[in-house]
Amino acid sequence: MSAALTNLRLRGYWRSSSSWRVRIMLGLKGLAWEHVGVHLLEGDHRSDAHRALNPLEQVPVLEWEESGVRHVLTQSLAIASYLDARVPEPPLLPAAALDRARVWELAEIVNSGIQPHQNSRTLQRIEALGGDRGAWAREAVAFGLQALEARAASTAGRFLYGDAVGLADVCLVPQLFGARRFGVDVDALPTLTRVEAACLELPAFQEAVPEKQPDAF
């Protein structure tokens, strides 16, 4: 039997969509953790201490102890894969290979196809080059969510892939929050907003919302 995960600590930012994903995952898995706020607007992520944990100067960072050894893991989908392997119930991914791949596909539309375009570093660079960061974000996020809506139309049940909540849903809810911040018309995404409402009926999603986090302001 594997050793227990102890002293879980999540370093994140209340409004970070990637940090939000991990909060939902930990809640779904029934794990307790300590919240450590990393204030992105004040530059905490650029400190030497944080850079030692994540050279990309990003959140989230998950830390824990196992058999007396301290571990650090970054990148929300890598964290999802690890948590699913160590705490199998409830699963974030289906058992069948093709079903797993389909859920990964939906999650990656958000993770690699949408979220990087709204990342603060990306938006700062757009602005530095003379572009309109708000217009860029709205266009990129809307395009990605339209793709996700089209894909989900053939996979969704109560949730994005059938009737079991999973990794794709974990990615969806924070992304729709970001879409609204950037002025995207989410009413044009009926499948996604219907699934979002189903997710927000679950305690793990309710407790993970930004306004309930200790560092929210």
Side-chain angles (χ1 to χ4, degrees):
M1 184 176 179
S2 299
L5 308 181
T6 59
N7 297 325
L8 277 160
R9 179 180 298 150
L10 176 61
R11 297 182 183 272
Y13 181 62
W14 67 289
R15 210 167 54 188
S16 155
S17 61
S18 298
S19 300
W20 188 346
R21 295 173 196 168
V22 179
R23 295 195 299 264
I24 297 170
M25 296 175 205
L26 293 169
L28 288 171
K29 297 294 186 179
L31 296 170
W33 75 94
E34 176 189 354
H35 171 89
V36 179
V38 179
H39 200 312
L40 301 185
L41 298 184
E42 293 185 358
D44 291 354
H45 56 304
R46 298 191 186 96
S47 69
D48 291 341
H50 189 80
R51 194 180 298 114
L53 298 172
N54 187 345
L56 277 175
E57 301 179 354
Q58 295 176 343
V59 291
V61 175
L62 186 67
E63 301 175 78
W64 72 96
E65 292 179 9
E66 189 174 351
S67 300
V69 178
R70 178 174 169 271
H71 299 278
V72 175
L73 192 59
T74 68
Q75 303 301 321
S76 63
L77 295 199
I79 292 169
S81 179
Y82 181 76
L83 290 177
D84 230 24
R86 291 303 317 279
V87 187
E89 296 297 330
L92 297 171
L93 292 160
L98 183 57
D99 292 334
R100 289 174 70 86
R102 294 297 189 200
V103 172
W104 272 114
E105 177 186 29
L106 295 167
E108 283 290 5
I109 291 174
V110 175
N111 184 60
S112 61
I114 304 175
Q115 195 275 334
H117 294 292
Q118 69 180 45
N119 184 279
S120 59
R121 186 184 294 272
T122 301
L123 297 182
Q124 288 164 7
R125 187 60 181 154
I126 293 292
E127 190 171 51
L129 292 171
D132 183 330
R133 59 189 289 166
W136 164 271
R138 278 191 299 278
E139 180 179 344
V141 171
F143 179 78
L145 286 175
Q146 288 160 8
L148 185 61
E149 173 75 21
R151 210 57 161 162
S154 62
T155 65
R158 184 182 179 202
F159 298 105
L160 278 185
Y161 196 80
D163 294 323
V165 68
L167 182 60
D169 309 293
V170 167
C171 293
L172 171 68
V173 170
Q175 186 55 65
L176 286 177
F177 174 88
R180 292 183 178 98
R181 282 185 61 217
F182 290 115
V184 175
D185 178 15
V186 299
D187 291 337
L189 307 165
T191 305
L192 302 188
T193 53
R194 175 180 60 75
V195 170
E196 176 192 38
C199 290
L200 291 173
E201 294 176 1
L202 304 178
F205 284 83
Q206 294 168 0
E207 293 304 312
V209 296
E211 59 267 25
K212 288 191 176 183
Q213 306 318 305
D215 58 334
F217 63 88

